[in-house]
Amino acid sequence: MKSLRTLLLVAAMALPALPASATVPAPLVLNFTYYAQVSENLDGNGNVHGVVQAARLDSKALLKLLSLETGIIFPKGAKIIIYPDGDSAVVDKHGEFIVDTTELLFADFGNSLFDGFFNVNTDHEKSNIFMTFTLTLDLPEQGLFLEMTGLARENFKASKPDKNDNQKQKGSIKVNVSGQGALEEELILGDGTVKLNGKETVNVD
């Protein structure tokens, strides 16, 4: 009987190149709770008493931090966009670009597994893509560094191109993440969720 490794290698040689992560630009929806050690004391009886405090970091709070970091007051309705290459930006409610925040916030869509179908001639696709995912937040002015990682699953659909070779693409990602980092040089640990739901029309000619 052939081993699983052998079967996978044979399958890989028999198949055409599969699409990489099929992500589309999408607003970031972050719900994350981090924990920090706020005190640790030894009493007169030899007992150590520790207190850990929780704080929430969601998309709204992150937008405020990015505003402080960039020195830009964002208008009402502004949102954070994550692009397929991992770059990030803040846009207004109409989707108009305000500022590139890639140096402060970056996503890494790592190794992936493909489940579904993809037409190599038309780019028509309906799939679930499993991928490693890391969201890195580095805000030196705020003294905050945080890496959030998890296994992401993307539901992706790409229509058949129309007569003008325009194709509608839609991607939806939800990933449970855990993370660690530092706030003012003190250790923080946490967990939460990241959601990315986006759609766009592209020309595939």
Side-chain angles (χ1 to χ4, degrees), residues 11 51-52 72 103 139-140 165:
V51 176
V52 171
I72 299 173
E103 291 188 358
L139 305 178
D165 292 319

Side-chain angles (χ1 to χ4, degrees), residues 91-150:
V91 301
D92 66 17
K93 63 181 180 181
H94 303 294
E96 295 297 322
F97 177 86
I98 297 176
V99 63
D100 186 334
T101 54
T102 303
E103 291 188 358
L104 307 172
L105 179 67
F106 184 78
D108 178 43
F109 302 96
N111 295 326
S112 62
L113 301 172
F114 174 84
D115 179 58
F117 79 85
F118 170 71
N119 188 296
V120 296
N121 297 313
T122 66
D123 289 339
H124 182 207
E125 181 178 349
K126 185 176 182 180
S127 62
N128 284 297
I129 297 176
F130 299 82
M131 69 186 87
T132 55
F133 175 84
T134 302
L135 187 67
T136 301
L137 180 62
D138 187 4
L139 305 178
E141 294 296 322
Q142 313 306 313
L144 175 61
F145 177 82
L146 183 61
E147 281 190 340
M148 295 162 274
T149 62

